[in-house]
Amino acid sequence: MTKDKLALEIIERLKKEYPDVGCTLDYDQAWKLLVSVRLAAQCTDARVNVVVQDLYEKYPDVNALAEADPADIEAIVRPCGLGRSKARDISACMKILRDEYGGGIPDNFKDLMKLPGVGRKSANLVMGDVFGEPAIVTDTHCIRLVNRMGLVDQIKDPKKVEMALWKIIPPEEGSDFCHRLVFLGRDICTARTKPHCEKCCLRDICPKEGV
């Protein structure tokens, strides 16, 4: 089976297995997704969802967070790890959103990438989830799983994985495909334990590379 056909078959099976998917970071405004995805670096989404509740209670909007002392932000977000750098990036990002975008966020990939603390993964997540544009989010689940599935050939670099997937994943499927990989990666194709291949909806077509 070619990579193109394998990708389409995987997409269809994951749709049936996980029909209703979305971002596992909680947010109700676009700027909050930018904050959460920065905090999620080397931290679980579940912990981020708890920590931001205290952050938004004290700083409920872009202006409040832009005016906050980075040290005060750090004190709240420290449980997510890398507190100082994350607080610094969040503060700088919110200032730009306040001063240049009226509290909104950029609606294109290039300008999102210019924001402090925003890389390709974050920009793709925002483009897909907020603006409904084609996006491929190469988080740790995605990178691990697409290598095991044989969709990419032992590529670990996030940008290279993204570029390889763009060639075989239909653009309109990219965002939800990556969300479904998160669920599969947590439930079945785990990182810290042996994958539960016997329970996987892809067990008969996955080459199980590296497993």
Side-chain angles (χ1 to χ4, degrees), residues 13 56 61 85 96 103 118 162 164 169-170 173-174 177 183 186:
R13 292 194 186 192
Y56 300 148
D61 53 41
S85 63
I96 292 174
V118 176
E162 180 191 336
I169 303 296
E173 300 286 358
F177 170 69
F183 286 89
R186 291 178 177 178

Side-chain angles (χ1 to χ4, degrees), residues 132-167:
E133 296 293 332
I136 290 179
V137 181
T138 50
D139 61 10
T140 56
H141 289 293
C142 175
I143 295 170
R144 181 176 75 256
L145 269 61
V146 297
N147 274 282
R148 288 178 175 178
M149 294 171 177
L151 295 180
V152 302
D153 299 316
Q154 298 306 308
I155 305 173
K156 304 299 183 182
D157 179 77
K159 183 177 180 179
K160 290 181 180 178
V161 171
E162 180 191 336
M163 294 302 107
L165 290 177
W166 277 120
K167 297 177 182 178

Side-chain angles (χ1 to χ4, degrees), residues 38 88-94 96 112-118:
R38 180 65 186 98
R88 181 182 64 242
D89 285 343
I90 289 170
S91 175
C93 182
M94 293 303 110
I96 292 174
L112 283 168
M113 286 281 289
K114 294 178 181 179
L115 296 174
V118 176

Side-chain angles (χ1 to χ4, degrees), residues 13 25-26 39 43 47 59 88 96 113 128 146 168 170 195 200:
R13 292 194 186 192
L25 292 168
D26 296 336
L39 293 177
C43 181
R47 175 170 289 183
Y59 307 110
R88 181 182 64 242
I96 292 174
M113 286 281 289
V146 297
I168 58 174
C200 184

